[in-house]
Amino acid sequence: MFNKEKDNKKVMAENTSGSSNRIVAETKFKGEISSKSDFRIDGEVEGNFQTLGKLVVGRTGVIKGTVICENADIEGKITGTLRVSNILSLKSTATVEGEVYVDKLSIEPGAVFNVSCSMKGAKAPTTNTFVNERPQPEQKPAK
């Protein structure tokens, strides 16, 4: 009925009364996905993925490419760039490698998080704010 492998396609799905989309296990997709609703991935996606809803990557789910979403729950693997405008939650089976831009982050013990991560509201440390730095005693001028 449906081909299990699609190459170089662009898929657009619209949110109709709280519906969600799904790529099931053993399904491979190459291309761009743009959705206004929630999405669950248990198969493999290679390319660009964007949703205005929540992304769930199941244990068998794999994404290679750029991901942009509102919220994400990850149990599977993502390699590439991940942009989450609200909450990113990594379960113990998750593996994320690449670049991550997120507002809030939750990581369970056991998750692999090998990324360059930037969080909203983060302040760059200044030279006087190191955690283990001790204040230097004042030195008196030599006579």
Side-chain angles (χ1 to χ4, degrees):
M1 183 170 162
F2 293 102
N3 290 338
K4 284 208 169 196
E5 184 151 352
K6 296 179 181 182
D7 289 327
N8 301 322
K9 303 288 181 188
K10 184 172 183 177
V11 175
M12 177 70 172
E14 291 194 24
N15 188 4
T16 54
S17 67
S19 65
S20 64
N21 298 292
R22 187 168 189 170
I23 294 178
V24 296
E26 298 183 23
T27 300
K28 294 180 181 180
F29 181 89
K30 235 182 219 188
E32 293 182 17
I33 297 174
S34 180
S35 176
K36 292 183 179 178
S37 60
D38 295 344
F39 222 105
R40 181 175 177 97
I41 297 176
D42 291 305
E44 295 180 31
V45 172
E46 185 177 333
N48 298 324
F49 176 89
Q50 183 172 358
T51 182
L52 297 176
K54 181 179 185 177
L55 169 66
V56 176
V57 179
R59 286 183 185 225
T60 59
V62 176
I63 300 177
K64 295 176 186 173
T66 300
V67 175
I68 301 172
C69 61
E70 177 73 23
N71 294 297
D73 286 344
I74 312 299
E75 293 179 83
K77 183 173 183 173
I78 295 180
T79 303
T81 302
L82 177 58
R83 294 181 182 273
V84 181
S85 59
N86 200 7
I87 300 171
L88 170 60
S89 177
L90 301 180
K91 306 303 182 189
S92 62
T93 57
T95 300
V96 179
E97 296 176 334
E99 296 178 63
V100 172
Y101 303 90
V102 66
D103 186 25
K104 296 176 185 123
L105 178 63
S106 170
I107 304 176
E108 288 184 359
V112 177
F113 192 64
N114 293 325
V115 301
S116 165
C117 183
S118 178
M119 296 183 72
K120 289 183 184 175
K123 294 180 182 177
T126 62
T127 57
N128 295 326
T129 59
F130 292 108
V131 176
N132 293 324
E133 183 177 24
R134 292 184 186 175
Q136 299 295 321
E138 289 184 32
Q139 295 181 355
K140 295 182 182 180
K143 292 185 179 181

